[in-house]
Amino acid sequence: MTTGSVAAFLGLITLRMQGHYLPLATIAWGISLFYVFGNTPALGGNTGLTDIPALRLFGLSSPVHGPSPTSRCLAWG
C-alpha cells in the first residue's frame, strides 16, 4: 500500500513534465532512489539484507553456493 502510494505520487510529479524534462526527471528519480536505498542501513545498504534463511521447498533447502542438480530439477519441473 505504501509502495503504491509513493510510486503514484512520484509518477504524478514526473508525468507533469514535458519534452526532454520527462526523461531527465525519470533518470533523476532512479539515481536518487538508488543512492537512498544503497545508503539505508535498515535495508542492508549495497550488500542487501543478510541472515535470511535458505529457501526450503518440500523439506529440501536451497544450496548456498550455486545451483545443484536437485534445485535445477525443481526449478524446471
Side-chain angles (χ1 to χ4, degrees):
M1 184 73 172
T2 303
T3 305
S5 59
V6 169
F9 175 72
L10 293 178
L12 288 174
I13 291 173
T14 305
L15 288 177
R16 290 191 59 184
M17 305 278 178
Q18 295 179 356
H20 62 278
Y21 294 109
L22 176 60
L24 289 174
T26 304
I27 292 170
W29 280 119
I31 291 172
S32 63
L33 292 176
F34 171 78
Y35 283 109
V36 166
F37 289 125
N39 294 321
T40 304
L43 298 175
N46 289 324
T47 58
L49 299 174
T50 57
D51 298 329
I52 297 175
L55 175 67
R56 294 188 58 82
L57 186 62
F58 304 116
L60 301 172
S61 63
S62 64
V64 177
H65 301 291
S68 68
T70 305
S71 63
R72 286 189 195 114
C73 290
L74 287 174
W76 289 102

